[in-house]
Amino acid sequence: MSEQEVKNLEEIFEQKIARDEKIEPKDWMPEKYRKTHIRQMSQHAHSEIIGMLPEGNWITRAPSLRRKVALLAKVQDEAGHGLYLYSACETLGISREELYEQLHTGKAKYSSIFNYPTVTWADMGAIGWLVDGAAIINQVPLCSTSFGPYARAMVRVCKEESFHQRQGYEIMLTLCRGSEEQKQMAQDALNRWWWPSLMMLGPTDDASTHTEQSMKWKLKRKTNDELRQQFIDQTIPQADILGLTIPDKDLKWNEETGHYDFGEINWDEFWQVVKGHGPCNKERLQTRVDAWENGAWVRDAAMAYSEKKAAKKVQKAS
Amino acid sequence: MQKDILIKYILGIADNSLILGQRLGELTGHGPTLEVDIAMTNISLDLFGQVRSYFQYTAQLSEEDKTEDDFAFLRKEREYINVLLVEQPNRDFGYTIARQFLFDHFHFLFLNELQNSKDKTLVAIAKKSLKEVSYHRRFSSDWIKRLGDGTEESKRKIQIAINDLWRFTEELFHQTNADVEAIKEGIGIDTDKIKAKYLENVSEVLAEAMLEKPDLKFFQEGGKKGIHSEHMGYLLNDMQYMQRTYPGMKW
Amino acid sequence: MSDNKKNWPLWEVFVRSKNGLEHRHFGSLHAADEEMALENARDVYTRRSEGVSIWVVQSKNITASNPEENGEMFEPAADKVYRHPTFYDLPDEVKHM
Ligand SMILES: [Fe+2]
Ligand SMILES: [Fe+2]
Ligand SMILES: [Fe+2]
């Protein structure tokens, strides 16, 4: 294809997206679109499955049967989300195994919030409330993103997410209505998860690359800072109902802007964790690698069995 | 029938689901593929669902003011009366599947009979659980075949797991005093009656999986009397951690 | 694409939400054989009672039309307006038609 032809195709392509038409896997697409989508969708998928681990850490210790089944179902949903998103990636011609390879070798990124440890039961509340809350803010706009398989996966994900945040908030509510010790446990969890949750919405707009392109392709509908503001504005009244204090002394309602002003985020910490030096980066990755490696003989056995069975079928037929 | 005996009888059923569900819960996030991970969590959720039905019933039967969670979390190790089989650890996927397989076949036949109990609540629980357990049995039996007739390595691993766990199968059919009482009343089911069928069903799958049925003369028992393997204390440590650390709180 | 043949192949999952409705494409998954594909589909895609019937088919067995041929494939149908009832002019007095 000549340069001019590619340019024409690109123009038609961009117009299609501008008209809110979806792009499907077999449609022509610029290489950059394919690559960006594989990167973003796989990062998202990795985040879902790494995200199973901090909460998975409390399944065996959940304090009641009701909490235990809710947590199990929640963590299981995240596995499903990972699966939907890996599948969406696979429509672009990359296999799940290749994506795992990227994760396991540290080439791929995932949401750095999951590199923090879950040290008390209240962390299950804080994660559901704040982390799933921030995730929902990130994800809802993606339900109308331009790439069809991604948009469809996100519709399913968002539908399932709705119980996650309620589940977490209910845990917090119960703690805050409980004993003094329980309330302190809730406050402590909020203190530890608040800032990482704000970081989850991504670097500030001036520090963030590819925003303009992402907006055009509807991989983003609002900027990181807008999403962060939305998250803060909607979360503070929820904290008030709990009777908890947001650990930010600069937090204050701004009559003029109609939003909360908030304090400086520690971006050094953010970049440190992103680069692999958070409290649990090593453990999280190792856990995934172990699961994959320990499962190799199981996956091989299933394939060998299915090949034998297929061979037997052929034999019978002939 | 005396209520405390009926409660004891129900605990004998419920504890199996509780402890096995707990074991499976350890694996969420660690499965060999995402699909299998999700499937095993489903089994765990089914089992915990059953546990809740049983314990809500025992809570209702109990003279004291007890909840389902009191039964699940606040007994001492000697008071749990699950069979030894279900508390065995997840050494590898082969052990997990073998444990599941050996229990599912029993569980299925047991619930099938329990549908004829004179106790209406138990009948209702059995009917609902039977559908779940039919699926569990299918899932674990299919995996036994895949591993048994898969690769050399998988065959070796699953055979070892079956051999190791076989010694706990006899206990599935043991009857405690409460069991005997409940059977007399037409509430409990006579496990002697399902033993032959169990061995037949299990053998059939093992044969299809090209695996050998272990030929054992010595079996282990104790769980039903509250004498557990050394693994049990650690399992309970985890399970009861919150209840023990923060007594008397609501979560 | 990786050609390590040990990897579980990809399957497409179609679910009928309730009787009377058609099977609809729900997504995909990996499985070693068809039984496992069905079981996985049940465990992954119908956890919230989304279905009463499942079809699975290995993705490689699906033949898809090529979007680059969409012009010749689908556009010729666009001007065949006489296939639609609104093409025919009838007086308003004619009822039930
Ligand atoms: Fe998530
Ligand atoms: Fe999720
Ligand atoms: Fe979630």
Side-chain angles (χ1 to χ4, degrees):
Chain A
M1 229 181 293
S2 76
E3 222 169 281
Q4 188 52 45
E5 279 172 316
V6 171
K7 243 184 143 188
N8 286 346
L9 280 172
E10 260 172 39
E11 218 159 88
I12 296 169
F13 178 84
E14 298 292 351
Q15 282 165 3
K16 218 166 138 185
I17 293 182
R19 283 196 305 270
D20 251 339
E21 278 178 45
K22 298 286 181 210
I23 306 301
E24 293 297 341
K26 285 178 164 263
D27 292 346
W28 184 89
M29 62 183 75
E31 201 42 36
K32 195 166 168 218
Y33 183 89
R34 180 189 304 274
K35 285 213 172 106
T36 304
H37 275 78
I38 289 177
R39 196 185 55 234
Q40 176 161 337
M41 292 190 296
S42 65
Q43 266 180 25
H44 196 160
H46 299 326
S47 302
E48 300 284 354
I49 59 161
I50 294 266
M52 296 171 74
L53 302 175
E55 285 171 291
N57 185 35
W58 279 86
I59 288 173
T60 60
R61 291 179 291 171
S64 71
L65 291 172
R66 183 172 180 273
R67 293 288 178 221
K68 198 189 280 284
V69 291
L71 188 62
L72 267 166
K74 197 248 179 199
V75 178
Q76 182 193 45
D77 271 356
E78 306 300 3
H81 299 172
L83 193 154
Y84 309 151
L85 288 159
Y86 284 127
S87 300
C89 278
E90 284 182 276
T91 64
L92 290 177
I94 185 161
S95 70
R96 197 193 289 177
E97 289 75 18
E98 286 170 280
L99 296 169
Y100 274 164
E101 177 75 17
Q102 294 176 357
L103 174 67
H104 295 165
T105 53
K107 234 178 89 190
K109 298 260 174 295
Y110 57 87
S111 182
S112 58
I113 190 102
F114 302 119
N115 292 314
Y116 290 87
T118 50
V119 296
T120 72
W121 170 251
D123 291 11
M124 298 306 99
I127 289 181
W129 174 34
L130 302 173
V131 177
D132 286 83
I136 291 169
I137 286 191
N138 258 331
Q139 289 169 357
V140 166
L142 287 171
C143 293
S144 54
T145 191
S146 65
F147 186 53
Y150 196 20
R152 291 192 287 275
M154 290 322 296
V155 167
R156 189 174 294 276
V157 166
C158 286
K159 223 185 269 171
E160 298 187 355
E161 280 298 339
S162 58
F163 102 78
H164 297 180
Q165 198 187 13
R166 291 174 69 99
Q167 177 258 168
Y169 193 75
E170 195 193 79
I171 290 174
M172 293 304 264
L173 204 57
T174 311
L175 291 172
C176 291
R177 288 174 178 168
S179 68
E180 194 44 46
E181 197 178 11
Q182 283 173 302
K183 191 160 180 189
Q184 274 173 25
M185 194 191 277
Q187 181 65 57
D188 167 62
L190 172 59
N191 294 349
R192 284 179 290 106
W193 291 95
W194 174 253
W195 293 102
S197 300
L198 296 190
M199 294 176 201
M200 224 183 125
L201 294 149
T204 52
D205 294 348
D206 44 316
S208 133
T209 45
H210 12 262
T211 295
E212 200 189 325
Q213 180 77 89
S214 299
M215 291 276 185
K216 237 171 54 190
W217 289 343
K218 298 174 184 168
L219 276 169
K220 249 187 181 321
R221 323 273 346 219
K222 289 180 184 171
T223 70
N224 293 349
D225 287 335
E226 285 168 342
L227 292 172
R228 193 164 11 251
Q229 189 67 58
Q230 182 190 340
F231 175 72
I232 292 170
D233 290 347
Q234 78 178 40
T235 306
I236 288 169
Q238 296 165 352
D240 289 342
I241 292 173
L242 294 172
L244 295 177
T245 312
I246 303 282
D248 178 357
K249 59 178 174 19
D250 297 322
L251 192 79
K252 140 167 136 273
W253 177 250
N254 185 328
E255 208 52 76
E256 241 165 78
T257 59
H259 294 293
Y260 283 92
D261 293 337
F262 55 96
E264 190 69 45
I265 293 173
N266 182 352
W267 291 110
D268 290 342
E269 175 185 322
F270 175 75
W271 291 113
Q272 181 188 324
V273 180
V274 168
K275 289 186 177 129
H277 310 293
C280 299
N281 295 60
K282 289 230 166 7
E283 288 83 349
R284 298 288 185 246
L285 212 51
Q286 195 56 50
T287 304
R288 284 312 310 166
V289 171
D290 289 348
W292 187 244
E293 286 178 355
N294 293 336
W297 71 273
V298 177
R299 296 190 301 274
D300 289 349
M303 265 332 275
Y305 175 77
S306 111
E307 279 159 15
K308 281 187 207 174
K309 226 175 38 171
K312 268 185 214 155
K313 236 190 218 167
V314 172
Q315 223 172 23
K316 246 191 209 160
S318 64
Chain B
M1 180 169 186
Q2 245 177 282
K3 274 191 182 168
D4 55 326
I5 296 179
L6 179 56
I7 290 177
K8 182 117 197 257
Y9 179 69
I10 298 168
L11 293 182
I13 308 171
D15 283 353
N16 288 338
S17 294
L18 173 68
I19 302 303
L20 187 55
Q22 176 76 5
R23 275 290 183 232
L24 291 171
E26 295 170 8
L27 296 171
T28 304
H30 309 273
T33 67
L34 278 178
E35 287 82 353
V36 175
D37 202 305
I38 291 170
M40 309 257 275
T41 304
N42 266 353
I43 297 178
S44 178
L45 281 166
D46 284 343
L47 292 170
F48 280 120
Q50 296 165 14
V51 168
R52 295 190 69 190
S53 306
Y54 288 125
F55 286 166
Q56 280 162 13
Y57 185 33
T58 53
Q60 185 196 317
L61 289 169
S62 166
E63 311 279 272
E64 300 149 69
D65 192 19
K66 282 196 176 172
T67 66
E68 56 174 19
D69 289 328
D70 293 331
F71 284 100
F73 297 99
L74 285 179
R75 282 179 285 154
K76 306 213 165 61
E77 180 172 334
R78 292 282 275 106
E79 293 163 348
Y80 286 87
I81 50 174
N82 56 281
V83 293
L84 294 176
L85 175 66
V86 295
E87 71 200 43
Q88 299 309 306
N90 299 307
R91 259 178 222 289
D92 66 14
F93 188 76
Y95 270 82
T96 301
I97 287 297
R99 183 186 64 206
Q100 195 67 39
F101 166 70
L102 293 173
F103 183 70
D104 289 344
H105 277 268
F106 167 79
H107 202 188
F108 175 84
L109 294 171
F110 184 91
L111 291 171
N112 194 37
E113 288 295 318
L114 194 61
Q115 295 184 103
N116 305 319
S117 168
K118 279 189 182 152
D119 186 299
K120 292 259 157 31
T121 310
L122 287 182
V123 171
I125 300 175
K127 279 200 189 325
K128 178 179 166 288
S129 308
L130 191 63
K131 290 184 194 143
E132 298 167 344
V133 172
S134 304
Y135 188 80
H136 303 172
R137 187 176 73 148
R138 167 172 155 183
F139 176 85
S140 60
S141 300
D142 281 355
W143 268 106
I144 288 285
K145 291 177 213 163
R146 286 187 193 106
L147 298 178
D149 195 14
T151 62
E152 280 306 310
E153 186 186 10
S154 70
K155 187 187 186 63
R156 184 171 50 78
K157 284 190 154 145
I158 192 64
Q159 185 71 64
I160 291 174
I162 291 280
N163 292 350
D164 279 2
L165 295 173
W166 194 260
R167 68 189 195 279
F168 301 116
T169 51
E170 183 70 31
E171 192 189 17
L172 292 166
F173 304 94
H174 285 187
Q175 292 173 0
T176 63
N177 292 339
D179 293 349
V180 173
E181 282 299 310
I183 293 164
K184 241 190 267 168
E185 299 276 340
I187 289 175
I189 72 121
D190 187 352
T191 43
D192 281 341
K193 284 198 193 141
I194 58 175
K195 191 172 171 186
K197 187 72 186 152
Y198 173 81
L199 289 172
E200 185 190 322
N201 291 352
V202 164
S203 305
E204 208 173 286
V205 178
L206 289 178
E208 214 185 311
M210 323 280 267
L211 291 168
E212 268 161 46
K213 192 179 108 182
D215 183 22
L216 268 194
K217 290 192 183 59
F218 300 100
F219 292 89
Q220 299 300 319
E221 55 160 339
K224 291 189 119 175
K225 297 180 198 142
I227 305 168
H228 293 276
S229 57
E230 291 179 349
H231 306 295
M232 184 70 169
Y234 297 95
L235 181 147
L236 292 180
N237 259 355
D238 264 6
M239 196 170 82
Q240 301 181 332
Y241 168 74
M242 290 296 290
Q243 304 276 344
R244 298 295 184 201
T245 313
Y246 307 98
M249 295 185 190
K250 290 227 161 20
W251 303 97
Chain C
M1 229 181 276
S2 162
D3 50 21
N4 177 359
K5 72 176 182 22
K6 287 263 167 72
N7 293 333
W8 291 2
L10 193 65
W11 300 72
E12 302 301 322
V13 178
F14 300 81
V15 177
R16 185 200 294 290
S17 319
K18 60 176 190 197
N19 276 3
L21 296 179
E22 66 279 68
H23 285 78
R24 199 162 60 76
H25 184 234
F26 258 46
S28 44
L29 49 74
H30 289 262
D33 55 52
E34 55 245 283
E35 279 88 22
M36 196 199 285
L38 264 182
E39 288 171 13
N40 288 349
R42 176 258 195 195
D43 284 320
V44 172
Y45 288 106
T46 65
R47 299 199 305 283
R48 290 177 167 82
S49 314
E50 292 96 332
V52 296
S53 163
I54 302 176
W55 291 345
V56 290
V57 58
Q58 244 195 72
S59 312
K60 68 166 192 208
N61 292 333
I62 289 183
T63 309
S65 63
N66 180 351
E68 270 156 44
E69 291 161 5
N70 272 10
E72 61 194 74
M73 288 284 279
F74 306 116
E75 275 167 35
D79 69 346
K80 313 294 192 289
V81 282
Y82 43 79
R83 289 197 172 106
H84 301 280
T86 45
F87 177 74
Y88 302 92
D89 290 325
L90 296 185
D92 287 349
E93 300 91 88
V94 184
K95 301 289 180 208
H96 307 297
M97 201 176 282

